[in-house]
Amino acid sequence: MIDFSVLDLVPVREGGTLEEAYAASAALARTAEATGCKRFWIAEHHAMEGIGGGATSVVIAHIGQATSTIRIGAGGIMLPNHNPFVIAEQFGTLAALFPGRVDLGLGRAPGAGPELQRALRKDLHRAAELFPQDVAELRAMLSGDPELPIRPTPGFGADVEMWMLGSSLFGAQLAARLGLPYAFASHFAPTHLDAALALYRRDFQPSEALEKPRVMAAMTVFAAETAEEAELIASSQAQSFVRLRTGNPGRLPPPVPGYRDSLPPQARAILDHIGEASAIGTPHDVRAKIEAFVDRTGADEIMLSGATYAPEARIRMLELVTEAMG
């Protein structure tokens, strides 16, 4: 049986508020728990009007309070934006508040321009170069290494499940070397998916945390009773993605009928590329596409991603997908 989980960017829609976005994320997390999903992750993004997960650990605590059994965590924390000691404290706190439920996915790409670098008081290029050392340091803190000169409290020896995230070969190499589970961001960057998974499995070195490779792959999924309705609700995220890639990001817009057909070839090519790891259609269609993706990747777990303008559509979509997948 393959596991299914949910990645939430805490979308803030046009005409909506942050308060509504956080309430919608909590409702989606409760649905994920009720439908048997394994984990619910929040993604870290900064200075983006349409995404509410900037204070990632705080939002994770909000999700933890709204649920009782599902694993909660970050998908992921962009470690170059932070220092390992503070992240150990934050996730050690979460582990104490929600015992046995906390995940920490780590990514290297800060996704930040010069303005954000100044705001964070960080040399993000240099911080990205130090990423492997920072991961090792953070792991030592969370695993309770007795040789550490200073111990984060909370955080030292905390029960936190670490994951390595990636969209290139770098993360796969590091995850294999450290013996960590590996999650590939194929929902928005599918180019290196097959090569990264092959490298990770080939070079994997067992660790105390993990005896054999464990792979998670992310998919963009939109399901509805009809294929036409699924394409319609998917158009909000499609608009957001095209706007982001063309330098005009904003809040999640309302759906537009026939949006893809209205695009020029260059913009349509952007959506076709990320569509390599997507499933849009009826529950039957979505199941077939997910099964084909699992056959291709051999993934142990699929992370479902997809933002809808109407929060209730996202809940219904998750119900349809998990029911279709059994």
Side-chain angles (χ1 to χ4, degrees):
M1 289 284 292
I2 191 167
D3 291 319
F4 288 90
S5 296
V6 175
L7 177 65
D8 183 24
L9 272 64
V10 193
V12 185
R13 63 180 183 167
E14 291 181 1
T17 65
L18 280 167
E19 292 82 356
E20 291 173 349
Y22 296 131
S25 290
L28 183 66
R30 286 190 289 268
T31 301
E33 184 172 80
T35 55
C37 292
K38 184 164 187 176
R39 58 189 100 234
F40 191 95
W41 281 2
I42 302 297
E44 176 189 348
H45 292 82
H46 297 285
M48 298 186 71
E49 184 183 2
I51 297 177
T56 314
S57 60
V58 179
V59 181
I60 293 169
H62 168 62
I63 298 301
Q65 290 285 8
T67 55
S68 58
T69 58
I70 193 170
R71 295 193 67 88
I72 55 175
I77 289 293
M78 300 297 105
L79 198 53
N81 294 340
H82 311 277
N83 72 68
F85 193 88
V86 171
I87 294 301
E89 289 182 325
Q90 291 178 4
F91 278 78
T93 302
L94 289 169
L97 291 170
F98 309 104
R101 297 177 58 195
V102 176
D103 300 331
L104 173 54
L106 297 171
R108 181 178 64 136
E115 297 83 3
L116 184 56
Q117 293 197 53
R118 286 192 290 270
L120 294 173
R121 306 294 195 271
K122 297 278 284 185
D123 179 349
L124 294 179
H125 178 74
R126 175 62 177 159
E129 292 178 344
L130 294 174
F131 179 70
Q133 297 95 304
D134 284 352
V135 171
E137 181 180 343
L138 178 54
R139 186 184 193 182
M141 295 175 192
L142 294 175
S143 64
D145 185 344
E147 300 299 321
L148 288 175
I150 184 171
R151 299 179 178 184
T153 305
F156 184 76
D159 180 14
V160 175
E161 184 174 299
M162 286 183 64
W163 284 73
M164 183 61 57
L165 312 185
S167 58
S168 67
L169 301 185
F170 181 89
Q173 292 170 331
L174 188 57
R177 189 169 81 229
L178 297 178
L180 291 173
Y182 180 54
F184 194 89
S186 35
H187 62 305
F188 73 86
T191 302
H192 301 292
L193 170 63
D194 300 303
L197 297 189
L199 185 154
Y200 169 67
R201 291 181 172 119
R202 184 195 71 197
D203 295 345
F204 180 83
Q205 300 176 25
S207 66
E208 291 186 8
L210 196 65
E211 292 183 358
K212 60 182 182 179
R214 179 170 179 84
V215 166
M216 179 195 299
M219 293 187 72
T220 298
V221 177
F222 291 95
E225 278 77 5
T226 67
E228 293 76 17
E229 183 184 358
E231 288 287 352
L232 179 62
I233 63 174
S235 68
S236 292
Q237 180 165 298
Q239 292 175 73
S240 286
F241 197 83
V242 170
R243 291 177 183 180
L244 177 64
R245 287 295 177 92
T246 55
N248 187 33
R251 296 194 173 199
L252 188 70
V256 172
Y259 172 70
R260 180 185 291 267
D261 294 336
S262 71
L263 293 173
Q266 184 177 4
R268 198 177 307 172
I270 293 174
L271 295 181
D272 289 342
H273 177 61
I274 63 169
E276 294 176 16
S278 69
I280 303 173
T282 66
H284 180 270
D285 296 335
V286 165
R287 174 174 179 142
K289 292 174 182 177
I290 291 177
E291 288 177 341
F293 187 73
V294 171
D295 287 343
R296 169 186 168 183
T297 61
D300 304 290
E301 186 169 342
I302 295 295
M303 180 67 76
L304 305 172
S305 176
T308 63
Y309 183 77
E312 59 271 17
R314 193 162 57 146
I315 288 174
R316 180 57 180 155
M317 178 174 66
L318 183 57
E319 292 172 339
L320 290 173
V321 172
T322 51
E323 181 180 356
M325 300 306 301

